[in-house]
Amino acid sequence: MDLGLRGRVAVVCGASKGIGLAVAEALAAEGVLLALCARGKDELKAKAASIEQRFGVEAIHCALDVRDDGELRAFVQWAAAHFGRLDIAVPNAGGPPAKGFLETTTAEWDSAFAANLRSVVAVAQAAIPHMRRDRFGRIVAITSYTAKQPSPGLVISNALRPGVAGLLRSLSNEFACDGITANAVGPGYVDSERTREVLRGQAAMRGVSYDEAVAAAMTDTPLGRMATLEEVAATVAWLCSRQAASTTGQTILVDGGSYRGL
Ligand code: NAD
């Protein structure tokens, strides 16, 4: 399916690895021009160069922390000024720490709020005026399965992700008339380097093998395996497509069927 995205411009946050990088690659494969940000300068630069070489699209980049509201807004403006337009925005960052509620600190709550909720506000506020001008926009935030179903040990995520869903639903109501959609993609377990690290830690803690830790994690996943990075990224790319114009205000889970609600 041609997603109709060739020549469009996207900002993708947290794009040096994991889901953000996979999204950048999926959009580049569709001919989308990219502005990428993440914290680590060298890794981001290398990944942007690799994308340019493999997909033949321009990928500008800027190292920043999405918790810095001013820098994040300036990054979005810089991208729009550089390309002369802005069609797609993918707010994304690393997730909050996994902890029991009583072990969480105020600093961790503040940091997660800034990285996982306020950054979506900043990206959307900076991007929407550009999208509105061209009467086309796609905002796709990377959130989590916890947007719909709280997960044990992920209390900060459980509290913040539904807030992002509420924000995006509000934006969908306000800006649908401008051709702008606002959705989230919520992964369950994704087979990424970060997840493997977490599962290796759990295996060591329980004194079991890595495969046993994966099997335990998959107990509640009917599909029986983790989603791939490419499957998550393909869902994001489709939400950005011209064909997805009527899908807005949704959190689309990529969770192998783990969520049991309707
Ligand atoms: P990751 O750690 O592999 O990659 C995170 C990316 O974001 C990196 O490029 C990193 O440099 C960047 N980043 C992190 N904090 C940043 C900050 N403050 N400012 C700028 N850049 C920052 O993470 P991932 O697995 O790709 O996860 C992305 C999101 O998806 C997270 O919110 C995570 O909680 C969520 N998620 C992931 C999974 C999974 O299994 N991987 C499952 C559910 C939800």
Side-chain angles (χ1 to χ4, degrees):
M1 191 195 298
D2 175 6
L3 299 183
L5 291 174
R6 188 155 298 280
R8 295 223 178 258
V9 171
V11 291
V12 182
C13 302
S16 66
K17 57 185 172 197
I19 295 169
L21 175 60
V23 168
E25 291 173 338
L27 293 177
E30 294 295 324
V32 175
L33 317 179
L34 297 168
L36 309 175
C37 77
R39 273 186 302 189
K41 188 174 177 183
D42 293 342
E43 197 175 5
L44 182 64
K45 190 175 171 189
K47 296 294 164 50
S50 159
I51 285 175
E52 288 192 330
Q53 199 200 356
R54 282 182 296 148
F55 300 103
V57 295
E58 188 176 0
I60 61 172
H61 55 90
C62 177
L64 59 85
D65 189 324
V66 300
R67 291 171 297 182
D68 184 328
D69 196 76
E71 274 203 26
L72 182 54
R73 287 169 190 265
F75 162 69
V76 176
Q77 299 301 358
W78 171 68
H82 178 85
F83 288 111
R85 59 184 300 128
L86 181 56
D87 307 291
I88 297 166
V90 183
N92 171 50
K99 284 185 155 186
F101 176 57
L102 294 179
E103 282 74 55
T104 60
T105 65
T106 302
E108 286 167 340
W109 281 94
D110 285 348
S111 172
F113 171 73
N116 300 120
L117 201 160
R118 201 186 62 204
S119 67
V120 186
V121 175
V123 169
Q125 261 181 354
I128 285 172
H130 301 283
M131 297 172 167
R132 218 175 192 179
R133 197 191 54 214
D134 294 332
R135 303 200 59 74
F136 179 95
R138 299 285 186 263
I139 298 165
V140 186
I142 308 303
T143 64
S144 167
Y145 160 89
T146 59
K148 295 207 182 221
Q149 184 158 296
S151 195
L154 288 177
V155 64
I156 301 180
S157 186
N158 296 341
L160 292 177
R161 308 299 196 175
V164 178
L167 168 68
L168 294 169
R169 177 58 70 93
S170 306
L171 299 186
S172 74
N173 291 338
E174 197 169 339
F175 300 106
C177 58
D178 294 305
I180 299 170
T181 66
N183 294 289
V185 167
Y189 277 98
V190 182
D191 189 12
S192 65
E193 191 39 55
R194 171 90 190 101
T195 307
R196 280 182 231 133
E197 193 184 303
V198 170
L199 290 173
R200 276 195 292 270
Q202 288 179 3
M205 242 165 51
R206 294 187 196 140
V208 298
S209 71
Y210 175 76
D211 286 346
E212 284 167 326
V214 174
M218 290 299 100
T219 310
D220 292 327
T221 303
L223 182 64
R225 65 163 176 82
M226 295 187 260
T228 65
L229 286 166
E230 291 74 18
E231 287 166 345
V232 178
T235 307
V236 176
W238 179 77
L239 282 169
C240 294
S241 72
R242 118 187 124 216
Q243 290 89 340
S246 297
T247 302
T248 189
Q250 306 300 312
T251 294
I252 310 289
L253 300 185
V254 183
D255 70 343
S258 310
Y259 173 60
R260 298 303 157 103
L262 297 175

